[in-house]
């Protein structure tokens, strides 16, 4: 149990009237290539760098290169291809032509298909293809094949930034400062220039011996670190810790911030920690496209090595959107991206004017991300009742409910998928109310025939609200509300959750089984860089409710084991369910004829191996559009 010094709790400025009322494992060769190209990138002009990476991707920066234009991928002795189709079929072979799947089945069935179609193919080119001997590829004896895996909620550029100066795992604030110090010393250009902006990511006060927010004074206490402009993002992304130099640039500070908190000491002075919307006060130098490109490459390197073929980015600001749009135009996307556009209530409504991007060179952007509340870890999740460990606060709504009631219906009416961040039980209930009010007069008031609003995180949800996820779809068949959840959050937060929420309310936290049994759909992700982006870590957490080393507060059967998912549900949660959540289930998510040949070869069978062996699984190859993007096949 963490020690708390409540008498020394920093004084917090009011967040809103609402608050006052409610109060790495990739190959060595790939890493070498990436590091070398980063060095070249810093020396190159931006336009040359962007064009250069397009060529690098086409020549297999991460993978082993081209496969035959048509080939069969088989397991020599047994069915080992988990198709994730409606029957959860396990096949022996996968027949691929170009970027598409032609057929699945046993080795004999695939050969019969090949032979029988060679004489009846209507396409002359196809006839010539089918008349040549079928090229064969075999997976290793214990390996399996699964559809390309997707992460339904992550932050692409932020993950790349977190790789530059990682703070996760720091045992206390002093250790975090030491990491900043070591980073400065390791970079002579930064060491010799005290004006250089420094950014880090991942500190977590909830695991420190004394659970309290850090202060700028701790940064000033180190002779190497002091006097520099530094901003350090918390693990959950909802708090930033800044140095005195940056804090002074922000003066004078407002007394309060709607939807955010300025942490203050007992004398009312800002300590250098800013929560949620208060983070907008921090002055940062703008990123260049070269900065974005380098961060993007770090993310891609890790994602492909972990078997991810698609990433849902939970919040493109306008400059990020333009960056990814330009990368798509250049053919520079080695991975599929489903981007949610960032909502800013202070900007004129754009839902009736902006153009949606639908699968343009692996980029789709047809959704908007809205924040309802803050985070549980930093005490900003909006609850119906006060926090058990802080009775003075019930969290806060980062966005006023009136704004949600106005803009969720407007975006939905204009045909945008609305993806709303909601953590606390009160925030989730309000978001469901807003969705329910969005289409009062039926499908004629909508654009298109299917709306799939998502609740991002859906962490604390009363059972009656979990039931509403499915009920809305029953009442309004053209609306399917999707819970986009992160299993690794559960096994990270389980150690402090009951202290924060109490023994009864904690039962509604990460209640995935309750949500699924209600008839609702879920899509799984990691919220990287908040958690490990490895989908196998999420798979393990979903089916065990255990930490990676096999522990939980409730013992070896897992934390609230009744909320565990089955292996089939977890596999679908990282494959076909994210495809459905991004309107791409017609092409992605399963290994069926006609669909895109995105798949992953894993070193062992995660569907049958002992649970304590799952995280030993390696990615042998990641294939996108029928081509090896990572590894060897």
């Amino acid at each position: 149990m963490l020690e708390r010094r409540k008498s020394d709790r920093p004084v917090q400025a009011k967040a809103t009237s609402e608050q006052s009322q409610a109060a790495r494992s990739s190959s060595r060769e790939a890493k070498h290539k990436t590091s070398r190209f980063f060095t070249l990138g810093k020396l190159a002009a931006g336009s040359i760098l962007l064009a250069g990476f397009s060529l690098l991707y086409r020549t297999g920066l991460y993978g082993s290169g081209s496969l035959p234009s048509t080939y069969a991928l088989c397991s020599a002795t047994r069915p080992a291809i988990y198709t994730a189709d409606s029957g959860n079929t396990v096949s022996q072979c996968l027949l691929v032509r170009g970027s598409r799947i032609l057929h699945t089945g046993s080795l004999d069935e695939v050969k019969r298909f090949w032979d029988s179609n060679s004489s009846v193919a209507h396409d002359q080119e196809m006839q010539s293809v089918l008349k040549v001997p079928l090229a064969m590829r075999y997976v290793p004896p214990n390996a399996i094949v699964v559809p390309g895996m997707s992460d339904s909620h992550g932050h692409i550029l932020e993950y790349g930034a977190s790789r530059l100066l990682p703070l996760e795992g720091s045992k206390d604030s002093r250790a975090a400062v030491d990491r900043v110090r070591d980073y400065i010393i390791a970079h002579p250009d930064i060491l010799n220039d005290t004006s250089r902006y420094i950014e880090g990511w991942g500190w977590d006060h909830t695991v420190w011996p004394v659970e309290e927010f850090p202060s700028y004074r701790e940064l000033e206490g180190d002779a190497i670190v002091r006097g520099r402009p530094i901003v350090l993002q918390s693990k959950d992304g909802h708090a930033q810790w800044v140095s005195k130099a940056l804090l002074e640039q922000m003066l004078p500070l407002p007394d309060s911030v709607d939807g955010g908190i300025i942490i203050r000491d007992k004398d009312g002075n800002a300590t250098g920690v800013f929560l949620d919307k208060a983070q907008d006060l921090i002055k940062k130098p703008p990123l260049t496209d070269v900065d974005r490109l380098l961060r993007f490459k770090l993310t891609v390197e890790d994602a492909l090595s972990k078997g991810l073929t698609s990433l849902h980015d939970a919040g493109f600001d306008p400059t990020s959107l333009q960056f990814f749009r330009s990368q798509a135009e250049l053919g520079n996307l080695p991975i599929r991206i489903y981007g949610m556009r960032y909502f800013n209530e202070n900007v004129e409504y754009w839902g009736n004017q902006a153009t949606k991007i639908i699968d343009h060179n692996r980029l789709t952007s047809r959704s908007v991300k809205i924040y309802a509340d803050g985070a549980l870890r930093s005490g900003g999740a909006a609850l119906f009742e006060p926090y058990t460990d802080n009775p003075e606060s019930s969290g806060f709504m980062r966005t006023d409910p009136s704004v949600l009631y106005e803009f969720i219906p407007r975006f939905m009416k204009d045909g945008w998928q609305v993806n709303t961040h909601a953590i606390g039980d009160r925030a989730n209930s309000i978001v469901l109310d807003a969705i329910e009010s969005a289409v009062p007069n039926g499908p004629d008031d909508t654009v298109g025939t299917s709306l799939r609003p998502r609740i991002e995180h859906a962490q604390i949800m009363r059972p009656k609200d979990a039931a509403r996820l499915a009920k809305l779809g029953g009442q309004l068949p053209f609306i399917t509300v999707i819970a986009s959840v992160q299993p690794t959050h559960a096994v990270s937060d389980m150690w402090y959750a009951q202290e924060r929420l109490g023994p009864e309310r904690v039962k509604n936290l990460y209640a995935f089984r309750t949500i699924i049994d209600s008839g609702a759909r879920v899509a799984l992700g990691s919220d990287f860089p908040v958690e490990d982006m490895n989908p196998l870590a999420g798979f393990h957490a979903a089916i065990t409710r255990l930490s990676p080393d096999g522990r939980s507060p409730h013992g070896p059967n897992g934390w609230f084991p009744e909320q565990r998912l089955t292996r089939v549900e977890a596999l679908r949660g990282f494959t076909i369910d994210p495809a459905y959540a991004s309107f791409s289930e017609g092409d992605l998510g399963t290994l069926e004829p006609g669909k895109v040949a995105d798949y992953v070869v894993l070193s062992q069978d995660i569907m049958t191996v002992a649970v304590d062996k799952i995280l030993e699984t390696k990615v042998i190859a990641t294939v996108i559009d029928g081509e090896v993007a990572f590894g060897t096949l």
Side-chain angles (χ1 to χ4, degrees):
M1 187 68 66
L2 296 175
E3 176 188 356
R4 290 183 175 277
R5 296 200 306 230
K6 292 186 178 177
S7 60
D8 295 336
R9 184 181 299 277
V11 178
Q12 301 178 358
K14 291 184 178 180
T16 59
S17 58
E18 178 74 25
Q19 182 197 13
S20 61
Q21 295 168 3
R24 285 157 184 69
S25 74
S26 66
S27 71
R28 183 175 302 172
E29 180 181 359
K31 286 185 176 180
H32 172 71
K33 288 181 179 179
T34 305
S35 176
R36 176 160 51 90
F37 290 129
F38 284 173
T39 301
L40 291 174
K42 292 178 181 179
L43 301 175
S47 59
I48 297 175
L49 180 63
L50 298 178
F53 271 110
S54 176
L55 175 61
L56 294 175
Y57 283 142
R58 293 177 185 132
T59 55
L61 174 59
Y62 301 104
S64 59
S66 298
L67 289 166
S69 61
T70 305
Y71 62 94
L73 178 71
C74 296
S75 171
T77 59
R78 62 187 176 91
I81 297 174
Y82 288 85
T83 66
D85 65 7
S86 59
N88 297 306
T89 306
V90 185
S91 296
Q92 185 183 8
C93 288
L94 188 70
L95 181 60
V96 177
R97 184 194 180 208
S99 64
R100 296 276 170 175
I101 298 169
L102 278 179
H103 193 67
T104 62
S106 68
L107 179 57
D108 288 342
E109 287 171 338
V110 167
K111 286 182 176 179
R112 283 198 300 271
F113 173 87
W114 184 263
D115 294 337
S116 63
N117 279 275
S118 62
S119 59
V120 298
H122 299 294
D123 184 332
Q124 187 174 15
E125 179 186 358
M126 190 62 185
Q127 284 184 353
S128 63
V129 168
L130 292 170
K131 286 180 180 178
V132 302
L134 178 60
M136 303 295 297
R137 291 287 189 276
Y138 289 94
V139 300
N142 295 320
I144 66 167
V145 179
V146 300
M149 292 183 282
S150 298
D151 193 308
S152 295
H153 186 110
H155 305 274
I156 295 173
L157 297 180
E158 290 82 354
Y159 180 90
S162 76
R163 286 276 308 272
L164 299 174
L165 174 50
L167 301 176
E168 187 167 0
S170 303
K171 64 181 181 180
D172 53 28
S173 58
R174 178 66 252 179
V177 174
D178 287 344
R179 290 199 189 186
V180 177
R181 183 179 192 275
D182 292 344
Y183 174 80
I184 293 170
I185 292 173
H187 294 79
D189 54 331
I190 298 175
L191 178 63
N192 296 323
D193 183 356
T194 58
S195 69
R196 288 283 295 274
Y197 174 81
I198 298 169
E199 183 174 4
W201 190 296
W203 58 270
D204 181 5
H205 69 294
T206 69
V207 300
W208 292 348
V210 177
E211 187 182 334
E212 62 183 18
F213 286 114
S215 164
Y216 74 84
R217 295 181 180 88
E218 290 157 276
L219 295 168
E220 289 300 299
D222 187 285
I224 298 293
V225 176
R226 77 167 61 106
R228 299 174 184 270
I230 300 169
V231 59
L232 307 176
Q233 187 82 53
S234 65
K235 175 179 169 65
D236 64 8
H238 287 260
Q240 292 186 61
W241 169 21
V242 306
S243 64
K244 182 179 179 181
L246 274 187
L247 186 60
E248 289 176 343
Q249 292 179 23
M250 299 163 61
L251 298 176
L253 293 172
D255 292 334
S256 65
V257 177
D258 287 344
I261 291 175
I262 302 169
I263 301 295
R264 300 180 186 272
D265 62 23
K266 63 182 186 316
D267 296 320
N269 298 313
T271 64
V273 173
F274 298 82
L275 307 185
D276 289 293
K277 278 193 174 180
Q279 297 175 98
D280 295 341
L281 298 171
I282 299 171
K283 297 178 180 179
K284 301 180 182 179
L287 292 177
T288 67
D289 272 357
V290 173
D291 294 328
R292 295 184 183 92
L293 189 63
L294 297 181
R295 295 178 182 198
F296 179 43
K297 302 319 171 192
L298 286 169
T299 304
V300 168
E301 175 188 318
D302 281 3
L304 293 177
S305 74
K306 297 178 189 301
L308 289 165
T309 58
S310 177
L311 304 176
H312 297 193
D313 190 287
F316 281 166
D317 63 26
T319 56
S320 296
L321 174 63
Q322 182 53 43
F323 168 75
F324 283 106
R325 190 196 296 265
S326 68
Q327 293 302 292
E329 293 291 342
L330 290 167
N332 272 7
L333 298 184
I335 197 166
R336 302 187 195 281
I337 296 175
Y338 186 77
M340 311 173 201
R341 303 189 189 192
Y342 180 73
F343 170 72
N344 185 342
E345 63 187 278
N346 298 316
V347 174
E348 184 178 356
Y349 176 73
W350 47 263
N352 57 350
Q353 299 177 359
T355 302
K356 301 175 184 69
I357 303 171
I358 310 293
D359 194 22
H360 177 61
N361 292 338
R362 299 183 177 175
L363 176 65
T364 294
S365 182
R366 57 179 297 174
S367 62
V368 58
K369 165 74 175 297
I370 301 177
Y371 281 93
D373 63 345
L376 180 65
R377 190 178 294 269
S378 54
L383 305 177
F384 280 108
E385 301 296 334
Y387 283 89
T388 302
D389 63 347
N390 184 14
E392 299 172 356
S393 174
S394 297
F396 55 88
M397 294 295 292
R398 181 165 169 168
T399 302
D400 191 271
S402 64
V403 176
L404 300 178
Y405 292 136
E406 176 183 357
F407 286 99
I408 287 178
R410 289 185 72 178
F411 277 111
M412 290 176 67
K413 184 175 177 59
D414 286 324
W416 292 88
Q417 182 188 50
V418 180
N419 304 341
T420 310
H421 164 114
I423 303 291
D425 52 9
R426 185 166 184 269
N428 276 286
S429 186
I430 288 171
V431 171
L432 284 169
D433 288 343
I435 293 172
E436 193 168 15
S437 71
V439 196
N441 300 316
D444 291 341
D445 271 1
T446 70
V447 175
T449 59
S450 177
L451 296 173
R452 302 176 188 178
R454 294 166 42 162
I455 299 183
E456 303 297 320
H457 309 304
Q459 284 184 9
I460 312 168
M461 191 173 286
R462 299 177 301 180
K464 66 180 182 181
D465 284 327
R468 290 173 69 198
L469 287 167
K471 185 180 178 182
L472 287 181
Q475 293 176 335
L476 307 170
F478 46 90
I479 293 181
T480 300
V481 184
I482 298 164
S484 172
V485 299
Q486 299 77 43
T488 44
H489 277 335
V491 298
S492 288
D493 293 358
M494 63 185 177
W495 303 106
Y496 70 87
Q498 182 163 324
E499 181 184 3
R500 185 148 296 176
L501 297 174
E504 289 302 315
R505 185 168 46 181
V506 74
K507 295 175 183 177
N508 300 329
L509 177 64
Y510 303 115
F512 304 145
R513 170 58 54 204
T514 299
I515 291 174
I516 288 179
D517 287 350
S518 76
R521 295 194 70 140
V522 301
L524 304 183
S526 69
D527 199 11
F528 64 83
V530 178
E531 305 288 354
D532 184 354
M533 72 156 51
N534 184 0
L536 297 182
F539 181 92
H540 177 270
I543 69 171
T544 68
R545 309 275 292 194
L546 294 169
S547 62
D549 60 359
R551 298 179 301 117
S552 88
H554 294 166
N557 288 328
W559 184 61
F560 294 110
E562 67 274 12
Q563 297 293 345
R564 293 178 301 194
L565 303 187
T566 67
R567 297 194 197 212
V568 169
E569 288 169 336
L571 178 64
R572 295 179 70 85
F574 280 106
T575 54
I576 184 58
D577 292 333
Y580 181 84
S582 58
F583 300 90
S584 54
E585 73 275 14
D587 278 330
L588 307 176
T590 67
L591 300 178
E592 298 180 87
K595 287 199 172 184
V596 172
D598 285 8
Y599 61 85
V600 182
V601 183
L602 300 175
S603 64
Q604 60 177 346
D605 191 343
I606 61 171
M607 306 301 285
T608 61
V609 72
V611 293
D612 61 350
K613 302 296 183 184
I614 289 173
L615 296 179
E616 297 175 6
T617 308
K618 306 298 182 186
V619 173
I620 295 174
T622 302
V623 176
I624 302 179
D625 282 328
E627 294 284 348
V628 178
F630 171 84
T632 303
L633 188 61

